[in-house]
Every structure is written in structure tokens, then in C-alpha cells.
Amino acid sequence: MPRSSRPLLTGLLLAVATGLVIPLQGRINGALGATLDDGIAAAVVSFTTGLVLIAAIGLTLPKGRAALRRILPALKERSFPRFYVLAGGIGALFVFAQSFTVGLLGVALFTVAAVTGQTLSGLLVDRLGIGPGGKRSITGVRILGSVLTIAAVVWAVSPRLGAAADVGSLLLPILLPVVAGCLMSFQQAMNGTATVHYGSPIAATLVNFVAGTVILWIAWLIKVLLLGPGHALPAEWWYYLGGPMGCVFIGLAALLVRSLGVLVTGLGMIAGQLLGSLGLDLVLPAPGTVVALPTILGTLLTLFAIIVATLPWPKGALSSRRPAKGQSGQSGGRTAAKGR
């Protein structure tokens, strides 16, 4: 394997591994929400435990303390737009979207809507250069990889779409997860940029959890005033693993977007999400779960789509026009000059 390809492969594998925790986190938070009879309360617990953990890590590790001390100077110097500190609010919005629409749309339709938004916005965020990796061109190969990813996710969840209500009547509710998915790419870019200036993903993750936790606590208190509290917190320890898993997801995503870009990081995590879901359905199936052939084939197609989007294809690989010999020679000369 060429040495230049190793960082890309390593980063992509990390993105896939990070995506593996998302279905497990969703299963845990969903079970906690059912136990509490309150989806917003489950989100508050998840964000609060994540905040406590990342704060403890930041205060314990010397590099973490150094990164935390750089937060206020970076904001005062306007090293990046100050509203980036509100990136955690996007995570809170995503949780709101889950709480308010999964029951209506079903998990499958919610996943398709969110993945579609995240994939399309990943192209836009890379093109605008919002992330720390700078601008990345919207090439035909990247568009093809994005389209294949959306098609693969639809195929993978298609066995679960049959039970959904009339999709036409759900167009308005579908917009919420689409918007939440779109904003997830911006969140990753904002956190990635903040990480560069803080010098560590620990600080960016902490700021992210602070913003999300404050927003969710406010929402939960309003809900309690209007509807009253749900059930008491459960004693089982595993209900509280969602927050630590969120720390892993947010921290690694902020780190990976610098080298991979927002689109490829998102595609890798989507692949991990489908693989994780498939693994959960096989090892710890929920009641009524059936692993169908389209689920397996759709997951494999997602992996193929990522390969399409990330391989170093030659320029104009999807174009029918071939460069003239003179142009090819000039290009080779410039490449050789760069090599010297």
C-alpha cells in the first residue's frame, strides 16, 4: 500500500469504528426514554453524563487542562466565529428530531431522512471550506459516492419501510430529520475548526456538551412545567453509557474532519452506523427484528460507495473527454516539478 494512502485508510477506519457506537447509543437512549417515559429527559441524562465525563477527563489530563485554558483566549481573539461554540445545540436539535418524529416516522424513515441531509450537506460544507481541511472540490466521483450512499441506506432499511404510514402525509415531519442531518455536517466542521485552535478535541467536545446540555435542560424544565416529570431514574448502570459514547463520537469526528473532510468522515460514520445496526440485529435483536437480504446488501453497497468517494481517482475520471497528449505532458511536467 502506498505510504500516502495509509493516513486516509486509518482515518476512514476510525470513522467507521466511530459510527459503530451510534446504533448502540441509540438503543441505550431509546431504552432509557421508554423507562423514564420521557424522551427529552433521556437526552438530558445522556448529555449531562457526557458533560461530567469530558469535564473530568479535561481537568485530569495535563493536555486537557492546557486545551481548556485556550478556550477563552481563542474566543477573545476571534480565532474562529464565536457562534461555533453553539455547535452542541445542533446535537440537541438532532435529539429533539429523534424525540418528536421517530414515533411518527419510524426508525427506518428517520434514518433515510437524516442520512440524506447529512450526505448532501457534507458536499456543501466541504465546498465552502467551513471545516479545518479547507475547500474540497465537488467532483463527479464524490457526487456519485454520495448518491450511492443514499441509495444504499434506502435499500438497507427498505424491509422496515413497508410498515410506515403513507409517506405523502409525512412530508412535513420528514423535514425535521432532514434539516437535523444537514446541520450535523456543519456541527462536525465547526467542532473540527475549534479543535485546531484549542489544540485538542477534548476542549471542543466539552464546549459542545455544555451548549447541548444547557439547551436540553431548559427544554426539559419547560416540559416539566407543562406536563410534569416522568418516572424516576433507573438503577441499572448501562442506561448511562449513552453520554460517554457521545463523547467518543463528537471527539473523534472533530479530529477526523481535518484530514478526511466533512463528507468522507460522514460517509464513514454512516457505514459504521449500518454495520453496527446489522450487528445489533444479529447479536442482540429487538423484539420483532428480522434481518433481511436487502439490509445486508444495502450495507455492503454503502461500503462500496465510500470506496468510490475516497479513492484517489485520476482527475476527470468520470469525464468522457480525455486530455490531449500535449496537455497530459504539461500536467506530468508540473507534477514532476512539484515532486522536485
Side-chain angles (χ1 to χ4, degrees):
M1 178 185 298
R3 185 174 298 178
S4 60
S5 300
R6 292 176 185 173
L8 174 63
L9 178 60
T10 301
L12 189 56
L13 289 175
L14 273 175
V16 174
T18 304
L20 289 173
V21 307
I22 299 176
L24 185 56
Q25 182 195 38
R27 181 78 69 87
I28 291 171
N29 286 340
L32 179 59
T35 300
L36 298 176
D37 193 25
D38 188 339
I40 298 179
V44 168
V45 171
S46 180
F47 265 74
T48 303
T49 53
L51 174 60
V52 171
L53 175 63
I54 195 63
I57 292 174
L59 294 174
T60 302
L61 299 178
K63 289 185 178 180
R65 291 195 297 270
L68 297 183
R69 285 194 293 268
R70 283 193 286 267
I71 293 176
L72 290 180
L75 294 177
K76 290 179 180 178
E77 295 168 5
R78 297 182 182 272
S79 302
F80 54 88
R82 289 183 176 178
F83 69 86
Y84 280 22
V85 300
L86 298 177
I90 296 175
L93 174 63
F94 193 83
V95 173
F96 273 129
Q98 288 178 318
S99 300
F100 293 127
T101 64
V102 166
L104 180 61
L105 302 176
V107 175
L109 199 52
F110 177 89
T111 301
V112 171
V115 166
T116 300
Q118 184 178 355
T119 303
L120 295 179
S121 66
L123 284 169
L124 176 62
V125 170
D126 275 348
R127 181 66 185 89
L128 295 175
I130 297 174
K135 292 184 178 181
R136 296 171 186 253
S137 301
I138 300 179
T139 63
V141 170
R142 288 164 70 82
I143 293 175
L144 177 60
S146 300
V147 172
L148 281 176
T149 299
I150 297 172
V153 173
V154 172
W155 193 13
V157 302
S158 60
R160 305 178 188 179
L161 292 176
D166 178 25
V167 176
S169 66
L170 301 176
L171 287 179
L172 189 58
I174 285 174
L175 288 178
L176 185 55
V178 169
V179 171
C182 282
L183 292 176
M184 287 296 288
S185 294
F186 287 89
Q187 181 195 35
Q188 292 172 0
M190 292 157 68
N191 284 336
T193 299
T195 295
V196 171
H197 295 283
Y198 297 152
S200 169
I202 293 176
T205 305
L206 176 64
V207 172
N208 195 94
F209 268 92
V210 168
T213 301
V214 169
I215 291 173
L216 286 170
W217 268 101
I218 293 173
W220 181 74
L221 290 173
I222 294 173
K223 181 261 176 187
V224 168
L225 289 175
L226 296 176
L227 302 175
H231 300 152
L233 291 173
E236 292 83 357
W237 60 271
W238 59 269
Y239 278 115
Y240 305 96
L241 294 179
M245 289 179 179
C247 292
V248 173
F249 172 79
I250 295 171
L252 284 178
L255 197 61
L256 290 171
V257 292
R258 184 175 185 180
S259 57
L260 298 181
V262 175
L263 175 64
V264 175
T265 299
L267 294 182
M269 290 183 176
I270 289 168
Q273 184 175 348
L274 290 180
L275 287 171
S277 298
L278 181 60
L280 276 178
D281 287 345
L282 290 172
V283 178
L284 296 171
T289 298
V290 176
V291 178
L293 182 62
T295 302
I296 299 174
L297 296 179
T299 301
L300 294 177
L301 180 59
T302 304
L303 299 178
F304 174 73
I306 293 172
I307 294 174
V308 170
T310 56
L311 280 180
W313 299 94
K315 190 174 182 180
L318 291 184
S319 174
S320 59
R321 302 168 104 187
R322 294 186 177 180
K325 290 183 179 180
Q327 293 175 334
S328 177
Q330 291 172 4
S331 174
R334 285 194 297 269
T335 303
K338 288 181 180 179
R340 291 194 295 269

